[in-house]
């Protein structure tokens, strides 16, 4: 007899990750592929973080510090918020899940942008709550429509600023008035995984997560700090919510290597600034070269860019076999053959678009050359 697994859990689609370089080598025999599919830091880890991990490894037989004391103290200094309001997670993914567990259950609802980062669906549906998606408008999160979607069952609104996968961002004025007008028992969960790449006019959740408003702001060490493989996310939450998240998290959710790496990375301001500058230059390069190819892309406040695939690659040269695929999938397959891994956005409901992470200058050049070839140029 099948086990009585909760139906709403069975409905959660599995996560589709960016293709690892090793898989491309194994499946297609392509060596030297480059991955521009998961918005990672192309420069690798900060050397200081690498050193800190090597040092901490000597104590690999000891349990980690459950309170992540040193890292939390460094974040208190950095963020100017009390330690009791700061939570750490095994990636910001985990904090999103814990917040949903604290606030949602069957009969309640969360309002989220569509398209949006897939963890939102997993985290909300895991609790049995209703997942209410609100379409973007002109590639931007539609705050008036999201406010209209809030009803008496709503406990959480998730916003992603800058937004994955478009790279669009909310202004301070937009976000302030949205938060001001929401009912006080609705948490605004601001996922700011990419905020460190954004320009000064983009809204900052830290300004709103001041303990007086129902706002949680989340950040990650996976992007600008280059620690995606070590899994560290952090956030500032309203005190009551932070307290409950502290109690329900697993005691050792941050392993000791992750704690050491994050602390060191936080202190490496040179690495942070250089990454930021590299990404800004990479974006400018993409805009210029894509425009020269006659390819549409959306200006981005993050470390990736949304690129429209038009015409369908099946209409270029003798490629009838690709006609069954979406333009994004066809472009993805053809770019793979050139050793360039990007993210086709069918899963996000954008079958005409791919998302391309800014890489090192030579990687960006390789993508641009490969795309020209795919487009028959
Ligand atoms: C919008 C968004 N939020 C959160 C995350 C997850 O970050 P972390 O690696 O800290 O779990 C990502 C990672 O790709 C992301 O794109």
């Amino acid at each position: 007899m099948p086990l009585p697994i909760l139906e709403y859990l069975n409905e959660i689609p599995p996560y589709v990750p960016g293709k690892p370089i090793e898989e491309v080598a194994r499946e297609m025999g392509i060596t030297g592929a480059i991955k521009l599919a998961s918005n990672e830091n192309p420069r690798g880890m900060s050397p200081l973080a690498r050193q800190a991990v090597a040092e901490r490894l000597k104590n690999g037989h000891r349990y980690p510090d459950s309170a992540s004391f040193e890292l939390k103290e460094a974040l208190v200094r950095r963020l100017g918020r009390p330690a009791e309001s700061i939570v750490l997670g095994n990636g910001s993914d985990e904090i999103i899940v814990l917040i949903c567990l604290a606030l949602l259950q069957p009969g309640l609802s969360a309002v989220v942008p569509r398209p949006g980062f897939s963890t939102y669906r997993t985290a909300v549906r895991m609790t049995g709550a209703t997942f209410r998606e609100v379409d973007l408008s002109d590639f931007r999160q539609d705050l008036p429509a999201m406010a209209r979607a809030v009803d008496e069952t709503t406990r959480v609104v998730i916003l992603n600023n800058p937004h994955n996968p478009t790279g669009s961002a909310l202004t301070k004025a937009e976000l302030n008035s949205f938060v001001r007008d929401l009912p006080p028992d609705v948490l605004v969960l601001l996922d700011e995984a990419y905020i460190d790449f954004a320009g000064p006019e983009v809204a900052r959740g830290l300004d709103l997560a001041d303990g007086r408003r129902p706002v949680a702001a989340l950040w990650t060490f996976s992007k600008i700090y280059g620690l995606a493989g070590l899994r560290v996310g952090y956030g500032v939450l309203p005190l009551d919510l932070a307290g409950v998240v502290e109690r329900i998290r697993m005691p050792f959710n941050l392993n000791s290597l992750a704690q050491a790496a994050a602390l060191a990375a936080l202190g490496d301001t040179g690495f942070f600034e250089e990454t930021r500058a590299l990404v800004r230059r990479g974006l400018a390069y993409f805009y210029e070269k894509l425009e020269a190819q006659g390819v549409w892309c959306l200006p981005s406040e993050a470390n990736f860019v949304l690129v429209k695939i038009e015409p369908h690659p099946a209409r270029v040269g003798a490629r009838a076999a690709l006609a069954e695929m979406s333009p994004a999938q066809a472009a993805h397959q053809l770019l793979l053959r050139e050793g360039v891994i990007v993210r086709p956005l069918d899963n996000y409901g954008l079958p005409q678009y791919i998302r391309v992470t800014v890489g090192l200058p030579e990687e960006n050049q390789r993508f641009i050359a490969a795309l020209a070839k795919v487009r028959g140029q």
Side-chain angles (χ1 to χ4, degrees):
M1 201 175 91
L3 287 171
I5 290 176
L6 298 170
E7 193 144 353
Y8 56 79
L9 295 182
N10 266 330
E11 287 164 7
I12 297 174
Y15 180 69
V16 184
K19 236 181 189 345
I21 290 174
E22 297 73 23
E23 194 178 308
V24 173
R26 211 167 42 239
E27 286 177 2
M28 307 182 67
I30 291 170
T31 51
I34 57 166
K35 185 177 173 206
L36 304 177
S38 296
N39 304 337
E40 295 150 337
N41 190 324
R43 303 175 65 228
M45 276 167 73
S46 138
L48 298 186
R50 202 180 286 272
Q51 220 177 349
V53 167
E55 189 57 35
R56 189 67 60 90
L57 198 53
K58 293 178 190 152
N59 272 337
H61 59 299
R62 301 284 181 206
Y63 278 104
D65 170 12
S66 168
S68 301
F69 181 80
E70 281 182 278
L71 177 57
K72 208 177 247 192
E73 283 301 299
L75 288 170
V76 166
R77 288 192 294 277
R78 171 68 59 97
L79 301 169
R81 296 288 180 271
E84 300 71 36
S85 69
I86 297 176
V87 297
L88 292 161
N90 188 258
S92 53
D93 276 2
E94 188 193 23
I95 308 176
I96 297 171
V97 168
L98 293 172
I99 289 175
C100 288
L101 285 173
L103 291 171
L104 296 171
Q105 63 179 17
L108 299 178
S109 70
V111 171
V112 299
R114 177 169 61 200
F117 184 50
S118 62
T119 292
Y120 306 153
R121 178 189 296 273
T122 309
V124 172
R125 292 301 291 139
M126 191 184 271
T127 70
T130 301
F131 185 68
R132 198 169 292 150
E133 297 180 284
V134 176
D135 286 331
L136 302 191
S137 167
D138 199 17
F139 297 103
R140 305 185 74 244
Q141 289 164 102
D142 186 345
L143 296 188
M146 292 182 86
R148 285 195 297 278
V150 170
D151 66 14
E152 65 285 355
T153 68
T154 307
R155 295 291 180 274
V156 184
V157 177
I158 304 182
L159 296 176
N160 183 200
N161 195 42
H163 175 260
N164 178 11
T166 61
S168 68
L170 301 167
T171 64
K172 292 177 183 169
E174 274 178 314
L175 186 62
N176 286 348
S177 71
F178 179 75
V179 169
R180 193 190 53 226
D181 294 345
L182 274 189
D185 61 346
V186 176
L187 178 83
V188 179
L189 199 176
L190 276 168
D191 175 1
E192 296 194 339
Y194 301 99
I195 197 72
D196 296 315
F197 300 108
E201 64 294 341
V202 173
R204 255 61 186 180
L206 184 59
D207 297 337
L208 293 167
D210 57 0
R212 287 184 286 126
R213 283 168 275 228
V215 172
L218 302 188
W219 305 283
T220 180
F221 281 88
S222 299
K223 308 298 174 184
I224 203 159
Y225 291 103
L227 300 180
L230 289 168
R231 315 300 304 130
V232 189
Y234 60 110
V236 172
L237 276 51
L239 284 174
D240 46 358
L241 182 60
V244 84
V245 165
E246 264 306 296
R247 273 178 277 134
I248 65 177
R249 72 173 172 87
M250 291 298 115
F252 304 113
N253 60 339
L254 245 68
N255 71 64
S256 49
L257 304 185
Q259 290 182 32
L263 181 64
L266 206 55
D268 196 343
T269 44
F271 184 84
F272 179 100
E273 291 303 336
E274 287 154 25
T275 300
R276 208 179 128 77
L278 179 94
V279 166
R280 303 297 274 189
R281 283 196 302 275
L283 283 174
Y285 172 81
F286 277 167
Y287 300 155
E288 182 197 328
K289 298 294 175 189
L290 291 172
E291 190 179 0
Q293 280 189 31
V295 173
W296 181 93
C297 74
L298 192 72
S300 173
E301 296 288 350
N303 66 339
F304 54 82
V305 69
L306 182 76
V307 177
K308 188 167 190 186
I309 300 301
E310 196 181 44
H312 194 301
R315 297 220 302 273
V316 180
R319 292 174 181 162
L322 299 175
E324 297 293 298
M325 292 180 196
S326 68
Q329 275 299 341
H332 173 233
Q333 290 302 326
L334 291 168
L335 288 167
L336 271 184
R337 289 183 209 166
E338 302 302 317
V340 178
I341 313 172
V342 300
R343 184 69 73 105
L345 294 178
D346 306 67
N347 288 333
Y348 284 82
L350 296 171
Q352 258 196 306
Y353 297 84
I354 57 172
R355 191 192 67 197
V356 186
T357 306
V358 177
L360 297 171
E362 54 274 25
E363 295 176 324
N364 300 337
Q365 284 161 17
R366 235 178 105 181
F367 163 69
I368 290 294
L371 185 70
K373 196 163 166 193
V374 166
R375 291 170 49 77
Q377 290 176 341

